[in-house]
Amino acid sequence: MTDTRDELETSVAATGPPPLLRFVAAKVGGGVVSLFLVAVLGFFLFRVLPGDPARTMTRSTPVSAEQLAALRHRFGLDQPLYLQFRDFVLDLLHGDLGTSYIYNRPVAELVLERVGPTVLLVGTATVLAVLVGLWMGTRAAWHQGGPVDRWFTSVGLTLWSVPTFWLGLLALMAFGVGVGPLPGLFPVAGMSSADVPAGVVPHVLDVAHHLVLPCLTLVAVIYAQFMMVMRTSLLEEMGADYLTTARAKGLREDLVRRRHAVPNALLPTVTLIFLHLGLVVAGAITVETVFSWPGLGLLTYEALRVPDLPLLQGTFIVLAGSVIVMNVLAELVYRFLDPRVRDS
């Protein structure tokens, strides 16, 4: 009887979904639940912000108490909080993020318009930061304790600890406005100039010119994370037996590093790239605000000044969603890349 029951349990387990599918479903399901909880948290969090949207939007125009009441009724601010929350959840389940107070347009349209500039800024900065961080981390580990290691580590950690907005202001004053007799080299605001000649190439060059300062500011702040992880991972690999075997076969140190040590040390860095990408998107708010880069960060700052509650909730969901999505992707990628986790 016991053998029959064990065979039945084994057959049921064999007919169930494969472990990989269960793992993916669990991570994706957890991400969806986390995103919903973040949206709910954002709703109540922004309701405690000081300020009256109706008064802020009419501060330059004399209005009566009746007009203010009509404006609050139009935005639904005169309803009890539980009714506002009910409407918010129902709209969210239908994919409706609401209508912006200050733009009088659907929040989804505004977010879609601003996603492109943010992806351009964050994507370019992340690629450059990864390349610089991996290169410097490899050199620092291979020259552990030497001048190269101390210099790279000191500069990287110093820039990592500097507030992003402060570094952006310094770059803006030094390379945008200019210092003393030295003129500014780059634009100080926006994504493009109004007097750019017609054509694709002039437009691309103009956008690239505007991109330099905000991109380099982000790179200077975030590259140290990739450098330190790569340095630590490579130092752990350098004492492995397979590197001693490779050297015993007569391989040069450069080949030992590039063909054996570096590929095995990349695994934690690849995971960090996905984890950090979502955080960079959310952290671009200060850079976009300093350089008036027309992305999601600047849109969030504009919404905070009112406060524009639907716009704040929409940008908060998108920014938090990017972090959650990248966390899920990081776990999936790590499982596929590491055979110890994949085979478990």
Side-chain angles (χ1 to χ4, degrees), residues 112-128 190-192 203-212 214-216 218-219 277 280-281 284 287-288 293-296:
L112 288 176
E113 287 180 359
R114 302 294 187 98
V115 164
T118 296
V119 170
L120 175 63
L121 172 60
V122 171
T124 306
T126 302
V127 170
L128 292 177
M191 184 177 173
S192 60
H203 176 70
V204 171
L205 293 177
D206 182 58
V207 172
H209 193 210
H210 284 75
L211 182 64
V212 171
C215 181
L216 290 183
L218 270 181
V219 170
L277 192 58
V280 173
V281 173
V287 173
E288 292 187 359
W293 186 263
L296 288 175

Side-chain angles (χ1 to χ4, degrees), residues 28-46:
V28 173
V32 172
V33 173
S34 299
L35 184 59
F36 179 76
L37 293 178
V38 164
V40 173
L41 174 64
F43 174 86
F44 291 103
L45 179 65
F46 295 130

Side-chain angles (χ1 to χ4, degrees), residues 222-307:
I222 66 177
Y223 86 89
Q225 302 181 49
F226 304 110
M227 182 190 71
M228 296 306 297
V229 171
M230 186 64 187
R231 178 183 179 275
T232 303
S233 300
L234 192 54
L235 287 176
E236 294 177 356
E237 294 292 332
M238 284 170 58
D241 294 335
Y242 70 90
L243 294 184
T244 304
T245 304
R247 293 188 186 97
K249 292 180 178 180
L251 292 180
R252 292 183 289 107
E253 282 295 309
D254 183 59
L255 292 178
V256 172
R257 178 173 67 240
R258 288 190 292 107
R259 293 185 180 180
H260 298 280
V262 172
N264 288 305
L266 279 175
L267 180 60
T269 310
V270 172
T271 307
L272 178 67
I273 291 172
F274 284 93
L275 287 172
H276 188 73
L277 192 58
L279 297 176
V280 173
V281 173
I285 295 177
T286 53
V287 173
E288 292 187 359
T289 302
V290 169
F291 294 98
S292 298
W293 186 263
L296 288 175
L298 183 60
L299 187 66
T300 303
Y301 173 74
E302 294 170 350
L304 276 170
R305 297 174 61 184
V306 174

Side-chain angles (χ1 to χ4, degrees), residues 43 76 78-90:
F43 174 86
D78 58 343
Q79 295 182 352
L81 188 60
Y82 73 92
L83 290 180
Q84 296 183 42
F85 178 69
R86 182 202 63 185
D87 295 338
F88 167 73
V89 172
L90 292 177

